[in-house]
Amino acid sequence: MANPFYTSEHEAFREVMRRFVAREIEPYAHQWDEEGEFPRELYAKASEIGLLGLGFPEEYGGIAADQFMRIVASQELARAGAGGVSSSLMSHTIGSPPIARAARPEVKARVLPEVLAGKKISALAITEPSGGSDVANLRTKARRDGDHYVVSGEKTFITSGMRADYLTVAVRTGGEGPGGVSLLLIEGSTPGLSRTRLKKMGWWASDTATLHFDECRVPVENLIGEEGQGFKIIMQNFNSERMGMAASCTAYARICLDEAIAYAKERKTFGKPIAQHQVIRHKIVDMAQKVAASQAMLEMLAWRLGQGESPVAEICMMKNQATQTMAHCASEAVQIFGGAGFMRGVKVERIYREVKVNAIGGGTEEIMKDLASRQMGL
């Protein structure tokens, strides 16, 4: 049965994405994970198929895209089962929207075309060692000194942190609370900026880092939006980030389901394929049920966003629904694989390692529940 949410244009892009992932990512996913990075050339290749430009202004090399085009992109990228590659390759989708939305025209013209062409890497730097989602109380300071801001402080858990050429950084330019937060575009070559690579449970191919700002001088024209308006701009990022994560997590869950079905038909115990054992069939049906429910919720929310709604509570719940579905399906897939699922190099093992970063990143499950309950008037 055809899905009513996807047009022939969506499906054509899906085929382009599927060929790209099969050719350029999937054969190398395990190797890149072990090496801890992937070639920078992949950015330019992703730009050539229109992936990097989705949703950005056409005047800077972007391509008009609705919510369903974004879902297609996220879910087809996930087919490689390589979250580290996807997260860094697409780090500009959280690093560059504030630039496109609120930076000065000359900054947009200088930065966005290079990023969308895959020539430069963009990253977002919000989280600090003292706190993650508590953006209103961040401590990194930027004091005005003539025609520059002088930035001092630290950011951590920054995706693409080691290689990013452009960093969209939340800083405190004023007093306490959200009204004192601003956004600055800081170039990766800025004197006083140093970076420390972080070793992680998953996403090994992603260059996650702690950033150290030691009296970094940043031109005033690199201010994104107005001084003291950074918190509002950051909040505008969250709906799209969480929808993207939900789409990816639902896709990773589906991959675990598909891999488990294929393995269960092939692997034999007690004289028959394990797919013929009732306990395995029940596990697979439970997985399929959760994936279908998550995908349906995701697509309905995408439709509502397209109608101009802003269903914040439901998006928060969607993010939790998707990460919980991914956790369940990854765990059950590894269980079905048995010892083979514990070996590095198979998709289900890699996805299992990446469950927690999705449940934490973009707002933890606990924060999502709290935000949703507030939106519900509780």
Side-chain angles (χ1 to χ4, degrees):
M1 178 179 176
N3 190 314
F5 292 121
Y6 299 96
T7 66
S8 58
E9 186 179 1
H10 294 123
E11 296 302 337
F13 184 62
R14 188 190 306 279
E15 288 304 312
V16 170
M17 281 294 305
R18 190 162 296 186
R19 289 195 298 270
F20 172 77
V21 170
R23 181 181 67 250
E24 302 291 351
I25 301 178
E26 196 161 358
Y28 314 106
H30 174 61
Q31 174 190 336
W32 291 344
D33 226 32
E34 296 293 331
E35 293 174 350
E37 64 179 19
F38 59 88
R40 283 187 69 122
E41 291 77 14
L42 189 64
Y43 290 91
K45 292 178 180 179
S47 175
E48 289 174 3
I49 65 165
L51 174 59
L52 300 190
L54 287 180
F56 285 92
E58 293 181 26
E59 61 189 297
Y60 304 116
I63 300 171
D66 64 6
Q67 291 292 328
F68 293 99
M69 198 68 85
R70 293 185 176 96
I71 288 175
V72 168
S74 295
Q75 298 201 320
E76 289 302 318
L77 268 180
R79 291 178 68 85
V85 176
S86 297
S87 62
S88 276
L89 183 63
M90 303 302 286
S91 64
H92 74 292
T93 61
I94 56 174
S96 289
I99 301 172
R101 187 179 299 120
R104 287 171 168 77
E106 58 271 22
V107 174
K108 295 181 185 182
R110 174 168 57 88
V111 173
L112 291 176
E114 289 190 313
V115 171
L116 301 184
K119 296 177 180 178
K120 300 288 185 180
I121 299 172
S122 168
L124 181 69
I126 305 292
T127 302
E128 299 185 349
S130 60
S133 298
D134 191 8
V135 179
N137 291 309
L138 61 85
R139 298 180 182 180
T140 298
K141 292 184 178 180
R143 73 175 192 275
R144 183 73 179 264
D145 181 23
D147 58 357
H148 285 78
Y149 287 101
V150 181
V151 180
S152 296
E154 280 190 329
K155 301 292 180 180
T156 196
F157 311 139
I158 307 306
T159 300
S160 293
M162 291 302 297
R163 301 199 294 188
D165 303 289
Y166 296 115
L167 297 157
T168 300
V169 184
V171 296
R172 184 162 300 284
T173 53
E176 296 298 312
V181 176
S182 299
L183 275 179
L184 287 177
L185 177 67
I186 301 180
E187 300 198 20
S189 58
T190 301
L193 168 62
S194 58
R195 321 182 196 210
T196 303
R197 183 180 292 273
L198 300 175
K199 293 184 177 181
K200 313 176 295 299
M201 179 190 297
W203 280 11
W204 294 350
S206 174
D207 54 312
T208 311
T210 294
L211 310 177
H212 313 268
F213 301 97
D214 183 11
E215 299 285 291
C216 293
R217 296 184 67 83
V218 180
V220 168
E221 56 264 28
N222 282 22
L223 179 68
I224 299 174
E226 301 296 324
E227 192 170 291
Q229 297 298 306
F231 185 84
K232 293 180 181 179
I233 300 172
I234 293 166
M235 293 302 108
Q236 291 172 344
N237 245 17
F238 279 139
N239 273 356
S240 60
E241 179 182 3
R242 289 165 184 160
M243 283 293 288
M245 292 185 73
S248 295
C249 290
T250 303
Y252 288 127
R254 185 182 299 279
I255 292 159
C256 289
L257 169 63
D258 292 343
E259 293 286 302
I261 290 173
Y263 187 80
K265 289 179 176 178
E266 176 185 302
R267 170 70 167 158
K268 292 184 178 180
T269 61
F270 304 103
K272 60 182 178 180
I274 62 173
Q276 294 181 18
H277 296 295
Q278 185 182 58
V279 66
I280 300 298
R281 295 201 303 271
H282 286 192
K283 284 180 181 292
I284 288 172
V285 170
D286 283 343
M287 292 165 71
Q289 176 181 315
K290 292 178 185 297
V291 170
S294 295
Q295 187 72 21
M297 185 177 182
L298 174 71
E299 291 172 346
M300 181 53 67
L301 280 175
W303 180 83
R304 290 178 63 186
L305 285 167
Q307 301 305 302
E309 295 184 39
S310 184
V312 175
E314 290 87 346
I315 289 173
C316 290
M317 289 186 277
M318 175 73 253
K319 199 240 176 194
N320 281 358
Q321 169 73 18
T323 56
Q324 290 165 11
T325 297
M326 177 184 178
H328 175 84
C329 292
S331 178
E332 293 290 64
V334 170
Q335 192 72 21
I336 290 169
F337 268 67
F342 196 64
M343 298 296 104
R344 275 157 55 171
V346 297
K347 286 184 182 180
V348 297
E349 181 271 338
R350 198 160 57 236
I351 292 171
Y352 185 81
R353 282 192 279 108
E354 297 176 352
V355 164
K356 276 299 174 185
V357 69
N358 290 283
I360 294 169
T364 64
E365 287 191 3
E366 295 79 11
I367 288 172
M368 293 299 94
K369 290 176 183 178
D370 194 52
L371 287 174
S373 66
R374 293 183 187 184
Q375 292 291 321
M376 295 165 66
L378 301 176

